[in-house]
Amino acid sequence: IINYRASADGKWLILGGIAQKEGAIVGVLQLYSVDRQASQPTMDAHAGCFANVKLTGRAEASTLFCFTARNPATGGAKLNIVEVGVPKDQAFKASADIPFASPQDFAVTMLPDDKHGILFILTKAGYLFLFEIESGTCIFNKRVSQVTMFASVTHDESGGVVTVDKNGRVIHFSVDEANFVPYITE
């Protein structure tokens, strides 16, 4: 077990784990509805979280279940974002390819920055990806550690994340608000 998260309203839970299967690391997520007291079937997915973001055209913030999954046919990874707690035909959905540098790499942590509408994804190989939630666009991708960042939490003050890598190095990542718009518009 490497992940347990609750939605901001406490109505949705996810439990995540990894295991070795046929020489590869596989991930499994279980989504649970507190109101319905029911689980969805397990998903082949490595990392997941809930984001609480106000989407364009919506009066209130939406609860978004965000997770990464590998396509067994292509070996590629996808970010999936699905609104929960609303009828399926009204739910927001987005997906995007995750450009891992190696087919063996996978997401170990995904944390939302609800303030900026961003997802932070940290990988086993030490990469940091930032995805804009509503469009699913990858806006940042860089190797930030030579080793796995194995423990991460949100940093509420900045909207970013604080992580610890296998060497014991503590790292804080956040959006630089003064340079965010110029960076995106380049």
Side-chain angles (χ1 to χ4, degrees), residues 1 4 10 17 19 33 36 49 58 66 77 80 84 87 92 95 109 114 126 134 150 155:
I1 304 294
Y4 175 77
S33 168
R36 295 184 192 128
C49 69
R58 301 281 180 94
C66 311
N80 298 284
V84 293
F92 171 83
S95 68
T109 301
D114 294 340
E134 196 161 356
F150 67 91
H155 186 262

Side-chain angles (χ1 to χ4, degrees), residues 4-185:
Y4 175 77
R5 303 265 186 250
S7 61
D9 60 8
K11 294 182 177 187
W12 295 90
L13 309 170
I14 52 172
L15 182 66
I18 57 173
Q20 194 149 14
K21 181 178 177 182
E22 299 174 9
I25 301 289
V26 295
V28 178
L29 287 180
Q30 181 81 57
L31 178 65
Y32 181 79
S33 168
V34 173
D35 288 347
R36 295 184 192 128
Q37 295 186 350
S39 295
Q40 297 288 328
T42 58
M43 296 178 278
D44 294 332
H46 281 99
C49 69
F50 294 102
N52 193 38
V53 175
K54 187 174 177 299
L55 299 168
T56 302
R58 301 281 180 94
E60 302 292 325
S62 298
T63 300
L64 304 173
F65 172 46
C66 311
F67 62 98
T68 62
R70 191 167 299 280
N71 181 331
T74 65
K78 276 215 176 288
L79 167 64
N80 298 284
I81 303 167
V82 180
E83 186 175 12
V84 293
V86 297
K88 283 185 182 183
D89 62 338
Q90 297 172 19
F92 171 83
K93 293 178 187 152
S95 68
D97 291 328
I98 304 173
F100 290 136
S102 162
Q104 289 77 30
D105 199 11
F106 59 90
V108 292
T109 301
M110 182 188 310
L111 294 167
D113 173 355
D114 294 340
K115 178 179 177 182
H116 299 103
I118 304 262
L119 288 173
F120 287 81
I121 299 175
L122 301 165
T123 77
K124 181 179 185 300
Y127 283 84
L128 169 66
F129 291 88
L130 271 66
F131 280 86
E132 194 277 325
I133 291 174
E134 196 161 356
S135 69
T137 302
C138 182
I139 58 174
F140 184 84
N141 168 7
K142 184 174 183 175
R143 190 166 199 185
V144 295
S145 178
Q146 297 302 311
V147 294
T148 304
M149 295 169 280
F150 67 91
S152 304
V153 295
T154 55
H155 186 262
D156 292 335
E157 187 177 315
S158 68
V161 300
V162 176
T163 187
V164 179
D165 71 18
K166 286 175 75 174
N167 292 335
R169 189 171 60 140
V170 177
I171 311 165
H172 174 236
F173 301 109
S174 64
V175 170
D176 179 353
E177 291 180 347
N179 292 306
F180 187 59
V181 172
Y183 173 81
I184 297 298
T185 57

